Amino acid sequence: GKIRDYALESLTGGTSVSRRTKKNVSTANAKAALYGEKLQEEVCELLGGSVDEETLPPAPAPASSSPTKSSTPPPIVSPTIPPTPPPIVSPTMPPTPAPSTSPPSSKRPTLPSGGGGGGVVKMYTTPDVNKAGDNAKGVMFQIIAKSKISITGLDIMGKDAKESDVSIYYQNGSYDKFDALDKGKWNEVFKGKVMLDPDELVNIELDEDITIPAGGTASLYVVSKKGVLFRKSSDKEFSIYAQNTDFDVQVGLSTKKEFQKPDKLAEFAGRIVYQI
């Protein structure tokens, strides 16, 4: 565009040859102007333009619209978290039992342990045991076996619900055949402290079984310093007041003291634990 303008200016003496410029040329110079127009047309044809086109600055080239590449942000890398180790499981220990605050019971088990004979364990309770209303320091009675038996324990009731020193003796045969008040004539099969009860039978396991052969007789003597309950008998001494298929129980005597002062005719009130 600048080259064309420069050529036109050189031909016209510095005057623009646009249509606006032609109107300003004087009539006196019409001939020159005509010549100039022809020359301008030739120059414009050479330059590929037209005289009638208004000289304008070239339009700016359109900006190349290259696609804008958006930069992809780098991926966010999370920090690697190490796996949580599994919890350490300690072996479960059983809870420690709380210490018992109640005093240990001095009562023995109601059921016998079975003794050392290895036979069939049986129990026999005397009649009306709950009606025993008399008490003494000792009760002496006899058992006659119908078949061989081994007595392993006795259940008795005490005068009071108190701990008492208890002893149990036995001798083969009837106590009227020897001096029943002579302690040396008896065999001690139990001695110890027992928590007695006036309303409940308390089992005493013998330290030694009392074995009675079939048809034989054994004398037993139960002693408690705090008192043992029995039933006063209206029958004669050695009368049978209780029995089962294995033995008979005979009326005996009560004593006011251990091996001293026989008092009343007495029926042993309790339970006999034995084996056959």
Side-chain angles (χ1 to χ4, degrees):
K2 291 183 178 181
I3 297 173
R4 185 179 58 182
D5 292 342
Y6 176 78
L8 293 175
E9 287 178 357
S10 299
L11 295 173
T12 59
T15 303
S16 176
V17 292
S18 65
R19 291 181 178 179
R20 296 188 189 99
T21 305
K22 287 196 296 180
K23 292 179 180 180
N24 294 328
V25 176
S26 63
T27 305
N29 295 327
K31 189 176 182 177
L34 180 59
Y35 177 79
E37 285 180 1
K38 291 181 179 181
L39 182 60
Q40 289 177 24
E41 288 175 359
E42 293 177 0
V43 173
C44 286
E45 288 177 0
L46 293 175
L47 296 176
S50 175
V51 176
D52 294 332
E53 291 180 356
E54 183 178 358
T55 303
L56 295 176
S64 61
S65 57
S66 59
T68 304
K69 294 183 180 181
S70 58
S71 58
T72 303
I76 300 174
V77 180
S78 301
T80 303
I81 301 176
T84 305
I88 299 175
V89 180
S90 300
T92 304
M93 301 297 292
T96 303
S100 174
T101 56
S102 58
S105 172
S106 60
K107 289 185 180 181
R108 297 197 175 201
T110 301
L111 296 177
S113 63
V120 178
V121 177
K122 302 178 74 174
M123 292 180 289
Y124 174 76
T125 304
T126 59
D128 300 324
V129 68
N130 57 332
K131 295 181 180 179
D134 289 87
N135 69 88
K137 299 298 183 183
V139 175
M140 197 178 295
F141 64 101
Q142 293 183 167
I143 292 179
I144 300 173
K146 298 176 183 179
S147 59
K148 181 182 178 181
I149 63 172
S150 294
I151 299 173
T152 60
L154 294 176
D155 293 7
I156 65 173
M157 293 185 295
K159 176 184 176 182
D160 301 306
K162 294 180 180 179
E163 187 178 69
S164 176
D165 291 316
V166 175
S167 297
I168 298 176
Y169 304 88
Y170 95 99
Q171 181 55 275
N172 291 321
S174 175
Y175 62 82
D176 69 338
K177 303 298 183 182
F178 60 89
D179 185 0
L181 298 181
D182 183 359
K183 184 177 180 179
K185 302 293 183 178
W186 295 82
N187 300 305
E188 186 177 79
V189 291
F190 176 81
K191 183 177 183 179
K193 294 184 179 295
V194 179
M195 180 63 72
L196 298 177
D197 194 310
D199 301 315
E200 183 181 349
L201 289 170
V202 179
N203 176 256
I204 299 175
E205 184 181 343
L206 303 181
D207 297 330
E208 179 184 339
D209 295 349
I210 300 172
T211 301
I212 308 172
T217 299
S219 299
L220 285 80
Y221 186 33
V222 180
V223 178
S224 171
K225 287 188 176 181
K226 297 292 177 67
V228 59
L229 294 182
F230 69 95
R231 287 186 64 200
K232 183 180 178 180
S233 179
S234 57
D235 295 334
K236 293 180 181 181
E237 190 175 10
F238 307 122
S239 297
I240 296 172
Y241 75 94
Q243 63 182 334
N244 66 4
T245 57
D246 298 316
F247 55 82
D248 297 331
V249 185
Q250 295 178 324
V251 175
L253 293 173
S254 65
T255 60
K256 292 184 178 181
K257 291 186 178 181
E258 185 177 2
F259 294 107
Q260 295 180 33
K261 299 182 180 182
D263 187 22
K264 301 175 182 178
L265 293 172
E267 297 176 0
F268 169 74
R271 181 180 293 135
I272 299 167
V273 184
Y274 64 102
Q275 294 179 351
I276 57 173

mmCIF file of all heavy atoms in Angstrom, residues 25-71:
data_model
loop_
_atom_site.group_PDB
_atom_site.id
_atom_site.type_symbol
_atom_site.label_atom_id
_atom_site.label_comp_id
_atom_site.label_asym_id
_atom_site.label_seq_id
_atom_site.Cartn_x
_atom_site.Cartn_y
_atom_site.Cartn_z
ATOM 1 N N VAL A 25 -8.701 19.308 -7.775
ATOM 2 C CA VAL A 25 -7.780 19.763 -8.859
ATOM 3 C C VAL A 25 -8.464 20.879 -9.670
ATOM 4 O O VAL A 25 -9.629 20.733 -10.064
ATOM 5 C CB VAL A 25 -7.416 18.557 -9.759
ATOM 6 C CG1 VAL A 25 -6.558 19.025 -10.906
ATOM 7 C CG2 VAL A 25 -6.723 17.484 -8.925
ATOM 8 N N SER A 26 -7.755 21.930 -10.013
ATOM 9 C CA SER A 26 -8.332 23.106 -10.722
ATOM 10 C C SER A 26 -8.587 22.789 -12.194
ATOM 11 O O SER A 26 -7.977 21.885 -12.763
ATOM 12 C CB SER A 26 -7.386 24.312 -10.585
ATOM 13 O OG SER A 26 -6.175 23.995 -11.227
ATOM 14 N N THR A 27 -9.491 23.492 -12.787
ATOM 15 C CA THR A 27 -9.835 23.284 -14.184
ATOM 16 C C THR A 27 -8.646 23.557 -15.109
ATOM 17 O O THR A 27 -8.487 22.920 -16.139
ATOM 18 C CB THR A 27 -10.995 24.229 -14.564
ATOM 19 O OG1 THR A 27 -12.056 23.972 -13.629
ATOM 20 C CG2 THR A 27 -11.507 23.965 -15.961
ATOM 21 N N ALA A 28 -7.762 24.510 -14.707
ATOM 22 C CA ALA A 28 -6.607 24.850 -15.539
ATOM 23 C C ALA A 28 -5.692 23.692 -15.695
ATOM 24 O O ALA A 28 -4.951 23.601 -16.663
ATOM 25 C CB ALA A 28 -5.849 26.058 -14.922
ATOM 26 N N ASN A 29 -5.718 22.881 -14.720
ATOM 27 C CA ASN A 29 -4.828 21.712 -14.785
ATOM 28 C C ASN A 29 -5.581 20.474 -15.210
ATOM 29 O O ASN A 29 -5.222 19.365 -14.857
ATOM 30 C CB ASN A 29 -4.165 21.465 -13.410
ATOM 31 C CG ASN A 29 -3.252 22.610 -13.020
ATOM 32 O OD1 ASN A 29 -2.617 23.250 -13.909
ATOM 33 N ND2 ASN A 29 -3.134 22.873 -11.756
ATOM 34 N N ALA A 30 -6.658 20.596 -15.889
ATOM 35 C CA ALA A 30 -7.484 19.458 -16.276
ATOM 36 C C ALA A 30 -6.714 18.522 -17.169
ATOM 37 O O ALA A 30 -6.850 17.311 -17.078
ATOM 38 C CB ALA A 30 -8.765 19.972 -16.992
ATOM 39 N N LYS A 31 -5.986 19.029 -18.046
ATOM 40 C CA LYS A 31 -5.227 18.207 -18.972
ATOM 41 C C LYS A 31 -4.196 17.400 -18.252
ATOM 42 O O LYS A 31 -4.041 16.207 -18.464
ATOM 43 C CB LYS A 31 -4.563 19.105 -20.033
ATOM 44 C CG LYS A 31 -3.932 18.318 -21.156
ATOM 45 C CD LYS A 31 -3.380 19.314 -22.215
ATOM 46 C CE LYS A 31 -2.775 18.571 -23.412
ATOM 47 N NZ LYS A 31 -2.286 19.494 -24.499
ATOM 48 N N ALA A 32 -3.499 18.120 -17.372
ATOM 49 C CA ALA A 32 -2.489 17.390 -16.565
ATOM 50 C C ALA A 32 -3.145 16.349 -15.710
ATOM 51 O O ALA A 32 -2.630 15.262 -15.520
ATOM 52 C CB ALA A 32 -1.681 18.399 -15.718
ATOM 53 N N ALA A 33 -4.325 16.746 -15.211
ATOM 54 C CA ALA A 33 -5.041 15.790 -14.343
ATOM 55 C C ALA A 33 -5.452 14.589 -15.126
ATOM 56 O O ALA A 33 -5.389 13.467 -14.653
ATOM 57 C CB ALA A 33 -6.263 16.495 -13.705
ATOM 58 N N LEU A 34 -5.915 14.812 -16.371
ATOM 59 C CA LEU A 34 -6.326 13.693 -17.198
ATOM 60 C C LEU A 34 -5.136 12.792 -17.456
ATOM 61 O O LEU A 34 -5.249 11.580 -17.386
ATOM 62 C CB LEU A 34 -6.912 14.224 -18.510
ATOM 63 C CG LEU A 34 -7.381 13.154 -19.488
ATOM 64 C CD1 LEU A 34 -8.463 12.266 -18.883
ATOM 65 C CD2 LEU A 34 -7.903 13.836 -20.790
ATOM 66 N N TYR A 35 -4.027 13.435 -17.806
ATOM 67 C CA TYR A 35 -2.825 12.633 -18.014
ATOM 68 C C TYR A 35 -2.462 11.868 -16.779
ATOM 69 O O TYR A 35 -2.108 10.715 -16.812
ATOM 70 C CB TYR A 35 -1.672 13.577 -18.463
ATOM 71 C CG TYR A 35 -0.371 12.858 -18.635
ATOM 72 C CD1 TYR A 35 -0.118 12.105 -19.804
ATOM 73 C CD2 TYR A 35 0.614 12.906 -17.647
ATOM 74 C CE1 TYR A 35 1.073 11.472 -19.949
ATOM 75 C CE2 TYR A 35 1.797 12.264 -17.838
ATOM 76 C CZ TYR A 35 2.035 11.532 -18.970
ATOM 77 O OH TYR A 35 3.250 10.899 -19.121
ATOM 78 N N GLY A 36 -2.582 12.623 -15.720
ATOM 79 C CA GLY A 36 -2.247 11.946 -14.429
ATOM 80 C C GLY A 36 -3.164 10.781 -14.169
ATOM 81 O O GLY A 36 -2.766 9.770 -13.622
ATOM 82 N N GLU A 37 -4.470 10.910 -14.503
ATOM 83 C CA GLU A 37 -5.419 9.820 -14.230
ATOM 84 C C GLU A 37 -5.033 8.597 -15.032
ATOM 85 O O GLU A 37 -5.098 7.481 -14.549
ATOM 86 C CB GLU A 37 -6.844 10.282 -14.590
ATOM 87 C CG GLU A 37 -7.425 11.250 -13.550
ATOM 88 C CD GLU A 37 -8.815 11.678 -13.953
ATOM 89 O OE1 GLU A 37 -9.316 11.219 -15.008
ATOM 90 O OE2 GLU A 37 -9.427 12.420 -13.196
ATOM 91 N N LYS A 38 -4.676 8.807 -16.281
ATOM 92 C CA LYS A 38 -4.285 7.655 -17.086
ATOM 93 C C LYS A 38 -3.068 6.989 -16.537
ATOM 94 O O LYS A 38 -2.973 5.760 -16.516
ATOM 95 C CB LYS A 38 -3.998 8.112 -18.545
ATOM 96 C CG LYS A 38 -5.276 8.534 -19.252
ATOM 97 C CD LYS A 38 -4.937 8.958 -20.688
ATOM 98 C CE LYS A 38 -6.209 9.380 -21.450
ATOM 99 N NZ LYS A 38 -5.943 9.781 -22.871
ATOM 100 N N LEU A 39 -2.117 7.844 -16.141
ATOM 101 C CA LEU A 39 -0.904 7.258 -15.579
ATOM 102 C C LEU A 39 -1.203 6.505 -14.303
ATOM 103 O O LEU A 39 -0.683 5.445 -14.036
ATOM 104 C CB LEU A 39 0.144 8.374 -15.346
ATOM 105 C CG LEU A 39 1.492 7.888 -14.795
ATOM 106 C CD1 LEU A 39 2.141 6.888 -15.792
ATOM 107 C CD2 LEU A 39 2.437 9.092 -14.620
ATOM 108 N N GLN A 40 -2.111 7.109 -13.532
ATOM 109 C CA GLN A 40 -2.491 6.447 -12.259
ATOM 110 C C GLN A 40 -3.134 5.103 -12.534
ATOM 111 O O GLN A 40 -2.895 4.122 -11.863
ATOM 112 C CB GLN A 40 -3.443 7.338 -11.464
ATOM 113 C CG GLN A 40 -2.780 8.578 -10.867
ATOM 114 C CD GLN A 40 -3.788 9.454 -10.144
ATOM 115 O OE1 GLN A 40 -4.819 8.958 -9.711
ATOM 116 N NE2 GLN A 40 -3.493 10.748 -10.068
ATOM 117 N N GLU A 41 -4.001 5.068 -13.540
ATOM 118 C CA GLU A 41 -4.686 3.828 -13.856
ATOM 119 C C GLU A 41 -3.690 2.764 -14.284
ATOM 120 O O GLU A 41 -3.809 1.594 -13.880
ATOM 121 C CB GLU A 41 -5.713 4.070 -14.968
ATOM 122 C CG GLU A 41 -6.922 4.873 -14.473
ATOM 123 C CD GLU A 41 -7.860 5.187 -15.625
ATOM 124 O OE1 GLU A 41 -7.539 4.797 -16.778
ATOM 125 O OE2 GLU A 41 -8.928 5.751 -15.374
ATOM 126 N N GLU A 42 -2.684 3.201 -15.081
ATOM 127 C CA GLU A 42 -1.681 2.225 -15.501
ATOM 128 C C GLU A 42 -0.890 1.697 -14.327
ATOM 129 O O GLU A 42 -0.614 0.511 -14.225
ATOM 130 C CB GLU A 42 -0.735 2.877 -16.536
ATOM 131 C CG GLU A 42 -1.437 3.200 -17.834
ATOM 132 C CD GLU A 42 -0.493 3.911 -18.830
ATOM 133 O OE1 GLU A 42 0.696 4.125 -18.434
ATOM 134 O OE2 GLU A 42 -0.894 4.203 -19.969
ATOM 135 N N VAL A 43 -0.535 2.640 -13.464
ATOM 136 C CA VAL A 43 0.247 2.194 -12.272
ATOM 137 C C VAL A 43 -0.580 1.282 -11.416
ATOM 138 O O VAL A 43 -0.139 0.260 -10.887
ATOM 139 C CB VAL A 43 0.745 3.414 -11.482
ATOM 140 C CG1 VAL A 43 1.383 2.973 -10.184
ATOM 141 C CG2 VAL A 43 1.729 4.208 -12.320
ATOM 142 N N CYS A 44 -1.869 1.677 -11.268
ATOM 143 C CA CYS A 44 -2.733 0.843 -10.390
ATOM 144 C C CYS A 44 -2.921 -0.538 -10.981
ATOM 145 O O CYS A 44 -3.003 -1.532 -10.271
ATOM 146 C CB CYS A 44 -4.083 1.542 -10.233
ATOM 147 S SG CYS A 44 -3.994 2.988 -9.153
ATOM 148 N N GLU A 45 -3.068 -0.580 -12.351
ATOM 149 C CA GLU A 45 -3.207 -1.907 -12.956
ATOM 150 C C GLU A 45 -1.978 -2.734 -12.728
ATOM 151 O O GLU A 45 -2.047 -3.937 -12.550
ATOM 152 C CB GLU A 45 -3.487 -1.745 -14.442
ATOM 153 C CG GLU A 45 -4.884 -1.231 -14.713
ATOM 154 C CD GLU A 45 -5.104 -1.017 -16.205
ATOM 155 O OE1 GLU A 45 -4.139 -1.295 -16.964
ATOM 156 O OE2 GLU A 45 -6.209 -0.625 -16.601
ATOM 157 N N LEU A 46 -0.809 -2.070 -12.868
ATOM 158 C CA LEU A 46 0.428 -2.804 -12.584
ATOM 159 C C LEU A 46 0.467 -3.318 -11.150
ATOM 160 O O LEU A 46 0.989 -4.373 -10.880
ATOM 161 C CB LEU A 46 1.655 -1.921 -12.869
ATOM 162 C CG LEU A 46 1.888 -1.567 -14.339
ATOM 163 C CD1 LEU A 46 3.067 -0.575 -14.469
ATOM 164 C CD2 LEU A 46 2.190 -2.794 -15.169
ATOM 165 N N LEU A 47 -0.056 -2.493 -10.280
ATOM 166 C CA LEU A 47 0.001 -2.882 -8.843
ATOM 167 C C LEU A 47 -1.188 -3.747 -8.441
ATOM 168 O O LEU A 47 -1.319 -4.164 -7.305
ATOM 169 C CB LEU A 47 0.047 -1.655 -7.948
ATOM 170 C CG LEU A 47 1.299 -0.791 -8.114
ATOM 171 C CD1 LEU A 47 1.191 0.458 -7.242
ATOM 172 C CD2 LEU A 47 2.547 -1.589 -7.760
ATOM 173 N N GLY A 48 -2.116 -3.967 -9.348
ATOM 174 C CA GLY A 48 -3.258 -4.828 -9.058
ATOM 175 C C GLY A 48 -4.343 -4.124 -8.335
ATOM 176 O O GLY A 48 -5.132 -4.737 -7.628
ATOM 177 N N GLY A 49 -4.499 -2.770 -8.474
ATOM 178 C CA GLY A 49 -5.535 -2.041 -7.771
ATOM 179 C C GLY A 49 -6.340 -1.208 -8.726
ATOM 180 O O GLY A 49 -6.249 -1.329 -9.919
ATOM 181 N N SER A 50 -7.103 -0.308 -8.204
ATOM 182 C CA SER A 50 -7.950 0.612 -8.971
ATOM 183 C C SER A 50 -7.791 1.993 -8.434
ATOM 184 O O SER A 50 -7.597 2.173 -7.222
ATOM 185 C CB SER A 50 -9.421 0.169 -8.880
ATOM 186 O OG SER A 50 -10.247 1.096 -9.501
ATOM 187 N N VAL A 51 -7.910 2.980 -9.371
ATOM 188 C CA VAL A 51 -7.754 4.375 -8.939
ATOM 189 C C VAL A 51 -8.894 4.781 -8.054
ATOM 190 O O VAL A 51 -8.754 5.594 -7.165
ATOM 191 C CB VAL A 51 -7.639 5.287 -10.187
ATOM 192 C CG1 VAL A 51 -7.569 6.747 -9.789
ATOM 193 C CG2 VAL A 51 -6.423 4.897 -10.993
ATOM 194 N N ASP A 52 -10.083 4.163 -8.325
ATOM 195 C CA ASP A 52 -11.272 4.595 -7.566
ATOM 196 C C ASP A 52 -11.277 4.075 -6.142
ATOM 197 O O ASP A 52 -12.112 4.452 -5.330
ATOM 198 C CB ASP A 52 -12.536 4.110 -8.278
ATOM 199 C CG ASP A 52 -12.688 4.791 -9.628
ATOM 200 O OD1 ASP A 52 -12.193 5.927 -9.727
ATOM 201 O OD2 ASP A 52 -13.282 4.139 -10.504
ATOM 202 N N GLU A 53 -10.412 3.136 -5.815
ATOM 203 C CA GLU A 53 -10.417 2.610 -4.433
ATOM 204 C C GLU A 53 -9.790 3.598 -3.508
ATOM 205 O O GLU A 53 -8.799 4.228 -3.822
ATOM 206 C CB GLU A 53 -9.617 1.298 -4.396
ATOM 207 C CG GLU A 53 -10.326 0.178 -5.150
ATOM 208 C CD GLU A 53 -9.487 -1.074 -5.085
ATOM 209 O OE1 GLU A 53 -8.370 -1.018 -4.538
ATOM 210 O OE2 GLU A 53 -9.943 -2.129 -5.547
ATOM 211 N N GLU A 54 -10.420 3.735 -2.387
ATOM 212 C CA GLU A 54 -9.925 4.667 -1.344
ATOM 213 C C GLU A 54 -8.720 4.042 -0.677
ATOM 214 O O GLU A 54 -8.701 2.866 -0.365
ATOM 215 C CB GLU A 54 -11.030 4.914 -0.325
ATOM 216 C CG GLU A 54 -10.635 5.924 0.760
ATOM 217 C CD GLU A 54 -11.769 6.174 1.702
ATOM 218 O OE1 GLU A 54 -12.868 5.585 1.491
ATOM 219 O OE2 GLU A 54 -11.591 6.928 2.656
ATOM 220 N N THR A 55 -7.679 4.899 -0.593
ATOM 221 C CA THR A 55 -6.449 4.381 0.030
ATOM 222 C C THR A 55 -6.671 4.239 1.523
ATOM 223 O O THR A 55 -6.875 5.237 2.231
ATOM 224 C CB THR A 55 -5.255 5.341 -0.218
ATOM 225 O OG1 THR A 55 -5.122 5.512 -1.628
ATOM 226 C CG2 THR A 55 -4.002 4.812 0.389
ATOM 227 N N LEU A 56 -6.702 3.009 1.984
ATOM 228 C CA LEU A 56 -6.936 2.722 3.431
ATOM 229 C C LEU A 56 -5.787 1.889 3.950
ATOM 230 O O LEU A 56 -5.179 1.123 3.193
ATOM 231 C CB LEU A 56 -8.242 1.948 3.599
ATOM 232 C CG LEU A 56 -9.526 2.705 3.194
ATOM 233 C CD1 LEU A 56 -10.717 1.764 3.333
ATOM 234 C CD2 LEU A 56 -9.715 3.939 4.069
ATOM 235 N N PRO A 57 -5.522 2.034 5.138
ATOM 236 C CA PRO A 57 -4.454 1.179 5.714
ATOM 237 C C PRO A 57 -4.873 -0.268 5.670
ATOM 238 O O PRO A 57 -6.066 -0.586 5.765
ATOM 239 C CB PRO A 57 -4.311 1.698 7.153
ATOM 240 C CG PRO A 57 -5.637 2.297 7.490
ATOM 241 C CD PRO A 57 -6.130 2.885 6.185
ATOM 242 N N PRO A 58 -3.962 -1.132 5.416
ATOM 243 C CA PRO A 58 -4.307 -2.557 5.321
ATOM 244 C C PRO A 58 -4.932 -3.082 6.597
ATOM 245 O O PRO A 58 -4.558 -2.668 7.692
ATOM 246 C CB PRO A 58 -2.954 -3.218 5.017
ATOM 247 C CG PRO A 58 -1.950 -2.302 5.593
ATOM 248 C CD PRO A 58 -2.519 -0.914 5.404
ATOM 249 N N ALA A 59 -5.945 -3.912 6.360
ATOM 250 C CA ALA A 59 -6.593 -4.504 7.566
ATOM 251 C C ALA A 59 -5.628 -5.453 8.220
ATOM 252 O O ALA A 59 -4.909 -6.188 7.548
ATOM 253 C CB ALA A 59 -7.853 -5.262 7.135
ATOM 254 N N PRO A 60 -5.659 -5.357 9.467
ATOM 255 C CA PRO A 60 -4.732 -6.268 10.192
ATOM 256 C C PRO A 60 -5.091 -7.709 9.917
ATOM 257 O O PRO A 60 -6.265 -8.052 9.803
ATOM 258 C CB PRO A 60 -4.925 -5.886 11.646
ATOM 259 C CG PRO A 60 -6.289 -5.290 11.730
ATOM 260 C CD PRO A 60 -6.490 -4.607 10.417
ATOM 261 N N ALA A 61 -4.091 -8.505 9.772
ATOM 262 C CA ALA A 61 -4.327 -9.936 9.525
ATOM 263 C C ALA A 61 -4.989 -10.557 10.737
ATOM 264 O O ALA A 61 -4.634 -10.252 11.864
ATOM 265 C CB ALA A 61 -3.001 -10.647 9.243
ATOM 266 N N PRO A 62 -6.002 -11.353 10.458
ATOM 267 C CA PRO A 62 -6.664 -11.978 11.631
ATOM 268 C C PRO A 62 -5.698 -12.868 12.384
ATOM 269 O O PRO A 62 -4.895 -13.578 11.791
ATOM 270 C CB PRO A 62 -7.790 -12.793 10.997
ATOM 271 C CG PRO A 62 -7.336 -13.071 9.602
ATOM 272 C CD PRO A 62 -6.536 -11.878 9.190
ATOM 273 N N ALA A 63 -5.862 -12.720 13.647
ATOM 274 C CA ALA A 63 -4.967 -13.527 14.507
ATOM 275 C C ALA A 63 -5.298 -14.984 14.324
ATOM 276 O O ALA A 63 -6.454 -15.377 14.221
ATOM 277 C CB ALA A 63 -5.133 -13.122 15.965
ATOM 278 N N SER A 64 -4.236 -15.702 14.156
ATOM 279 C CA SER A 64 -4.445 -17.148 13.978
ATOM 280 C C SER A 64 -5.044 -17.714 15.249
ATOM 281 O O SER A 64 -4.519 -17.511 16.338
ATOM 282 C CB SER A 64 -3.112 -17.834 13.660
ATOM 283 O OG SER A 64 -2.218 -17.654 14.714
ATOM 284 N N SER A 65 -6.184 -18.325 15.004
ATOM 285 C CA SER A 65 -6.885 -18.874 16.204
ATOM 286 C C SER A 65 -6.448 -20.313 16.403
ATOM 287 O O SER A 65 -7.146 -21.261 16.064
ATOM 288 C CB SER A 65 -8.398 -18.819 15.998
ATOM 289 O OG SER A 65 -8.754 -19.526 14.826
ATOM 290 N N SER A 66 -5.221 -20.393 16.830
ATOM 291 C CA SER A 66 -4.746 -21.747 17.155
ATOM 292 C C SER A 66 -5.415 -22.198 18.439
ATOM 293 O O SER A 66 -5.595 -21.409 19.359
ATOM 294 C CB SER A 66 -3.219 -21.750 17.317
ATOM 295 O OG SER A 66 -2.849 -20.863 18.326
ATOM 296 N N PRO A 67 -5.833 -23.386 18.439
ATOM 297 C CA PRO A 67 -6.540 -23.865 19.675
ATOM 298 C C PRO A 67 -5.654 -23.727 20.886
ATOM 299 O O PRO A 67 -4.483 -24.070 20.883
ATOM 300 C CB PRO A 67 -6.833 -25.339 19.355
ATOM 301 C CG PRO A 67 -5.840 -25.721 18.315
ATOM 302 C CD PRO A 67 -5.591 -24.479 17.501
ATOM 303 N N THR A 68 -6.293 -23.155 21.885
ATOM 304 C CA THR A 68 -5.560 -22.964 23.155
ATOM 305 C C THR A 68 -5.490 -24.287 23.884
ATOM 306 O O THR A 68 -6.514 -24.910 24.145
ATOM 307 C CB THR A 68 -6.282 -21.936 24.038
ATOM 308 O OG1 THR A 68 -6.416 -20.729 23.291
ATOM 309 C CG2 THR A 68 -5.519 -21.701 25.319
ATOM 310 N N LYS A 69 -4.338 -24.686 24.093
ATOM 311 C CA LYS A 69 -4.126 -25.939 24.817
ATOM 312 C C LYS A 69 -4.082 -25.643 26.302
ATOM 313 O O LYS A 69 -3.219 -24.924 26.771
ATOM 314 C CB LYS A 69 -2.817 -26.606 24.377
ATOM 315 C CG LYS A 69 -2.843 -27.077 22.932
ATOM 316 C CD LYS A 69 -1.553 -27.788 22.601
ATOM 317 C CE LYS A 69 -1.546 -28.268 21.162
ATOM 318 N NZ LYS A 69 -0.292 -28.978 20.839
ATOM 319 N N SER A 70 -5.085 -26.146 26.934
ATOM 320 C CA SER A 70 -5.086 -25.966 28.414
ATOM 321 C C SER A 70 -4.145 -26.993 29.001
ATOM 322 O O SER A 70 -4.213 -28.172 28.673
ATOM 323 C CB SER A 70 -6.491 -26.168 28.973
ATOM 324 O OG SER A 70 -6.971 -27.448 28.633
ATOM 325 N N SER A 71 -3.305 -26.481 29.772
ATOM 326 C CA SER A 71 -2.327 -27.385 30.385
ATOM 327 C C SER A 71 -3.033 -28.256 31.411
ATOM 328 O O SER A 71 -3.741 -27.758 32.276
ATOM 329 C CB SER A 71 -1.210 -26.598 31.076
ATOM 330 O OG SER A 71 -1.747 -25.752 32.055
#
